[in-house]
Amino acid sequence: MPNAIAAVIIAVAAVLGGITVLLVMPDLLQGLGGAVTITGPGFALAAKVAVPR
């Protein structure tokens, strides 16, 4: 159960980071690239935390 909670927190932080990048970047394409760069590894980390081996 603690792993699932940590995974949700990491995923939410990744989404919020991506939204922040979109709001701060002046150019939309650069913002989308930055958001994907932050969000993708965030979700990958959340998946690793949620399913321990």
Side-chain angles (χ1 to χ4, degrees), residues 6-20:
V8 169
I9 291 171
I10 292 170
V12 169
V15 169
L16 290 177
I19 291 171
T20 302

Side-chain angles (χ1 to χ4, degrees), residues 28-48:
L28 180 63
L29 288 177
Q30 286 180 345
L32 286 174
V36 169
T37 302
I38 290 173
T39 308
F43 281 125
L45 179 62
K48 286 181 184 178

